[in-house]
Amino acid sequence: MKKLMIYFTAGSIGALANSVVLWWLGYYGYTARFDIAIAPHLDPAWLYPRIVWGGLWGLLFILPMLQSRLLFKGLLISLAPTAVQLFLIFPQAGKGMGGIELGMYTPALVLLVNGVWGLAAALSIRLGR
């Protein structure tokens, strides 16, 4: 149970880092410079579901692989929420496969910010042990 609590918390911390980075990129115009129509507002209604889902994705750290390479494991696990976002959520929201309707570089942005999630979650796990 302790491990699950650590993994959920770490995933939530990773989601907070992911969200702040995504907000920062939008707020300072970096997403607009690459013609990506993503510039969220950092408010509780946007943040809360992201933190909960980040915690749930963090439970994947329970998988018994790459225990000695936690940062790499975080990056590898981050590919799961990336795939869901690009191939399930964006198409269902009418944003096209990979979110292409939001801009050609949207898949790269999603990969980047979810990589931030994976690294922040892995570091949180390392610190929580």
Side-chain angles (χ1 to χ4, degrees):
M1 185 68 165
K2 181 180 176 184
K3 279 186 178 183
L4 291 176
M5 289 171 33
I6 290 172
Y7 297 152
F8 182 85
T9 303
S12 296
I13 291 168
L16 180 61
N18 163 301
S19 298
V20 169
V21 168
L22 184 57
W23 167 81
W24 186 85
L25 291 171
Y27 184 81
Y28 287 102
Y30 291 102
T31 55
R33 287 184 192 156
F34 288 96
D35 294 322
I36 302 171
I38 298 176
H41 295 284
L42 196 59
D43 62 19
W46 179 72
L47 204 51
Y48 175 75
R50 296 175 60 80
I51 290 174
V52 172
W53 276 105
L56 293 173
W57 282 112
L59 297 176
L60 289 177
F61 278 94
I62 196 86
L63 296 173
M65 61 180 198
L66 301 169
Q67 300 296 17
S68 63
R69 303 205 41 201
L70 196 56
L71 294 177
F72 181 68
K73 183 177 183 175
L75 288 174
L76 190 61
I77 289 173
S78 77
L79 295 176
T82 299
V84 169
Q85 182 71 42
L86 294 176
F87 302 118
L88 218 66
I89 295 172
F90 280 148
Q92 287 177 356
K95 304 302 180 190
M97 190 63 66
I100 294 299
E101 299 294 321
L102 297 169
M104 183 172 68
Y105 297 110
T106 299
L109 176 67
V110 172
L111 192 63
L112 172 75
V113 295
N114 283 345
V116 167
W117 171 84
L119 291 174
L123 287 171
S124 297
I125 291 168
R126 184 171 285 164
L127 291 173
R129 288 186 176 163

